[in-house]
Amino acid sequence: MLILGIIVVIVSLYLLYLKYRVVFTGEKCKGKIIGIVDQNAGYVVGGAFVKKHAYIIKIKNKKYYTAHGCILLSLGKRKIGKEIFVFKNEKYGKEVFKCFDFRIES
């Protein structure tokens, strides 16, 4: 039973690494939000593809999409034009991960 528990923990940590590998191996960059695009979230609920609202980030004249989108489109549109920090790694394609910043903005 202990061996099974260890195997489950190792597999779950490996799956988390596969999802967040850009954060662990990428560089932190500053980008500007220039828009929002609808994308498939990668899973199906009730036979329909789930969509997400991903931010389009511009970093040094290249466009990237955020892996995590905004939940409400109206709140996401307020962030267009703002600069954020993201993690990116060219070898993983055009997807970046947002750095979660807990600063209070005035």
Side-chain angles (χ1 to χ4, degrees):
M1 202 63 175
L2 180 64
I3 295 172
L4 180 63
I6 291 171
I7 291 172
V8 168
V9 168
I10 290 171
V11 168
S12 62
L13 289 175
Y14 181 69
L15 291 174
L16 280 174
Y17 170 74
L18 288 178
K19 183 171 183 175
Y20 295 104
R21 65 190 180 269
V22 175
V23 175
F24 297 127
T25 61
E27 62 174 311
K28 189 175 181 181
C29 298
K30 194 176 204 179
K32 187 173 185 178
I33 299 173
I34 60 170
I36 298 175
V37 66
D38 285 335
Q39 286 185 322
N40 287 333
Y43 55 93
V44 177
V45 174
F49 283 103
V50 175
K51 293 202 176 266
K52 69 175 181 178
H53 307 290
Y55 291 112
I56 303 171
I57 307 291
K58 187 174 183 180
I59 304 170
K60 297 180 184 173
N61 297 325
K62 288 186 179 179
K63 293 181 183 177
Y64 298 90
Y65 299 108
T66 53
H68 297 92
C70 58
I71 297 172
L72 300 173
L73 190 59
S74 60
L75 294 177
K77 287 183 179 180
R78 292 183 190 171
K79 293 187 176 184
I80 293 175
K82 292 187 178 181
E83 289 187 340
I84 63 169
F85 284 103
V86 294
F87 287 104
K88 75 177 185 78
N89 190 334
E90 293 293 334
K91 103 177 170 186
Y92 295 123
K94 292 283 188 185
E95 200 168 54
V96 296
F97 282 80
K98 292 191 297 186
C99 298
F100 293 102
D101 195 2
F102 296 107
R103 290 181 295 159
I104 298 173
E105 294 182 11
S106 56

